[in-house]
Amino acid sequence: MPHLALYTFGVLKSPLTDSARLTREFHESGEAVYREIGQHPGYIARAEAVDRSLGARTDFDSDWGEWGEFAVPAWYGKGRTVETTALAATLSLWTDLRSAFDSIYTGLHRAALNRRYDWFERTGHPGYVFWWVTDGVIPTWQDGVSRLEHLQDHGSAPYAFTFHHSFDPDGTPSRLKGVGPRSD
């Protein structure tokens, strides 16, 4: 049975190492959000660095194992060092679109979404993308970037889509109950 891959990407208003209160609040809330999402029905896995105990490393320096080398969209123009990296990205697998939607729009993640413009720049680019993968396939960071850039350039299609313009694994347009089309 196919699984749903989700890549998210956002440009922070300041680098992760900035001691500003808002940046600190965003960074400190992350583990609790991930813990809650990890317990949600339909969640399968997320990309995590192989060894987070190596101290202050950037996502660019981390070993992501089978999730591949860390990558970002071409339009990301901020830093790539520990001192300058100003981004947040996730890559995860889900059983289905409804499970992902319910997890993202409830609980701690919903509370974080309500504050996204405190922490993130409005870039004019999509902040997330979905696509279907064959059971047993682990998507890579580069897959996520390619899909997000495709969504930016071509809009929703079976190759890369959003909640509001989604597709079943066979490429048939689908619609989640309670989620209608809109301009993504």
Side-chain angles (χ1 to χ4, degrees):
M1 173 168 222
H3 292 138
L4 188 67
L6 168 62
Y7 173 72
T8 67
F9 185 82
V11 179
L12 292 164
K13 289 182 174 180
S14 61
L16 287 169
T17 57
D18 189 327
S19 60
R21 183 178 64 83
L22 286 176
T23 304
R24 200 170 52 248
E25 286 175 359
F26 168 76
H27 186 68
E28 290 173 353
S29 68
E31 283 308 311
V33 170
Y34 283 132
R35 228 180 354 267
E36 185 176 276
I37 285 176
Q39 299 302 311
H40 200 278
Y43 170 84
I44 297 171
R46 72 176 170 104
E48 294 184 81
V50 172
D51 189 355
R52 285 289 194 181
S53 66
L54 296 176
R57 297 178 59 179
T58 68
D59 290 333
F60 297 98
D61 295 332
S62 297
D63 176 359
W64 293 93
E66 60 191 340
W67 300 88
E69 184 178 336
F70 189 74
V72 297
W75 46 264
Y76 173 71
K78 290 197 174 181
R80 294 172 185 252
T81 67
V82 171
E83 296 80 23
T84 61
T85 297
L87 63 87
T90 66
L91 182 59
S92 57
L93 278 172
W94 297 84
T95 57
D96 60 276
L97 199 59
R98 172 52 69 184
S99 296
F101 183 86
D102 290 346
S103 177
I104 290 166
Y105 289 103
T106 60
L108 294 174
H109 193 271
R110 176 61 187 189
L113 276 178
N114 289 341
R115 298 202 50 212
R116 67 186 169 272
Y117 297 121
D118 290 342
W119 302 320
F120 291 94
E121 293 180 1
R122 295 177 191 236
T123 64
H125 299 282
Y128 73 96
V129 65
F130 287 108
W131 70 98
W132 292 100
V133 297
T134 305
D135 188 22
V137 169
I138 301 296
T140 66
W141 289 105
Q142 186 56 55
D143 294 335
V145 168
S146 295
R147 304 289 175 137
L148 190 70
E149 290 174 342
H150 187 276
L151 178 67
Q152 170 74 32
D153 294 342
H154 305 286
S156 283
Y159 182 79
F161 56 91
T162 66
F163 281 123
H164 298 283
H165 296 97
S166 58
F167 294 84
D168 289 333
D170 66 3
T172 304
S174 65
R175 181 174 290 172
L176 285 176
K177 186 176 183 179
V179 180
R182 71 172 186 139
S183 173
D184 293 307

